[in-house]
Amino acid sequence: MNPEDMKCGLLLVDDDPCITAPMAERMAIRGFRVVVAGSGAEALGLLEKNSDMDVVVLDIRMPGMDGIETLHEIKKNYPLLGVIILTGHASVRTSVEAIKSGALEYLEKPYDIEQLVAILTAALARKREFEERIYDARIKPYCSDRERQGAISELLEEAAGRHAPGDGSGNV
């Protein structure tokens, strides 16, 4: 799946423009529609205004709202969004906390651009799959509104990483 074919919206969140500027350029060349935020609060504001974002690349250490707090808010309010943590300050504690909180991946800087593109493309495919499953649940015949809403709620919980099937890692 090519992000250009799907018009993938990518939100980059990092307080260091020396990171976001070249990454935004590299991702735009590869077909992503890129929006940049310099803080967690700014990212949440952009998501509120931009309903066409698909994937978020999020730094851990930022002034104000850190990456983990931002991740919690994103998954609470936008459970279908794939969130990839990209940090220069990796630790076992934050990696475990990020994955348990619904991050799809936890990568260290410097990153391999092709690996990141592959992860973002898989995250986009995952989001599209959940969107299709939710659509199917909405139009499912012969079930009550209550059953339909229950199925949709379960899908949103699964997408948010709060009860993922399989190995439980939350990884794409």
Side-chain angles (χ1 to χ4, degrees):
M1 176 182 316
N2 183 348
E4 191 170 289
D5 297 337
M6 303 199 65
K7 305 292 186 224
C8 179
L10 172 61
L11 176 58
L12 302 177
V13 187
D14 196 311
D15 61 318
D16 186 352
C18 292
I19 299 291
T20 56
M23 185 188 298
E25 186 177 315
R26 295 171 102 189
M27 293 303 166
I29 288 168
R30 287 167 173 80
F32 291 89
R33 283 180 297 100
V34 181
V35 176
V36 175
S39 69
E42 183 183 359
L44 294 172
L46 287 168
L47 287 172
E48 196 173 306
K49 295 175 192 165
N50 246 336
S51 64
D52 62 345
M53 289 292 107
D54 297 299
V55 185
V56 178
V57 174
L58 180 61
D59 188 23
I60 290 284
R61 284 196 185 170
M62 296 182 290
M65 181 183 281
D66 71 16
I68 296 296
E69 292 172 290
T70 306
L71 171 62
H72 285 287
E73 288 300 310
I74 290 171
K75 294 314 271 182
K76 181 173 78 175
N77 296 307
Y78 311 97
L80 295 182
L81 281 180
V83 179
I84 289 64
I85 300 295
L86 182 63
T87 184
H89 304 282
S91 74
V92 173
R93 184 187 63 75
T94 59
S95 67
V96 169
E97 188 174 357
I99 296 301
K100 282 185 175 181
S101 298
L104 297 175
E105 284 285 346
Y106 186 93
L107 302 173
E108 289 184 57
K109 297 173 191 171
Y111 60 93
D112 176 77
I113 188 71
E114 296 311 321
Q115 178 190 19
L116 182 57
V117 168
I119 291 167
L120 293 171
T121 302
L124 175 62
R126 180 181 186 276
K127 181 179 186 250
R128 295 299 200 270
E129 178 190 337
F130 273 106
E131 289 171 338
E132 287 178 27
R133 289 171 63 194
I134 289 169
Y135 176 79
D136 289 346
R138 282 194 173 119
I139 64 168
K140 191 174 189 175
Y142 310 112
C143 77
S144 70
D145 286 343
R146 184 176 174 192
E147 291 170 321
R148 189 174 291 113
Q149 192 54 48
I152 291 168
S153 292
E154 284 182 24
L155 286 167
L156 291 172
E157 287 288 315
E158 183 181 335
R162 291 188 282 264
H163 105 164
D167 69 359
S169 71
N171 291 338
V172 175

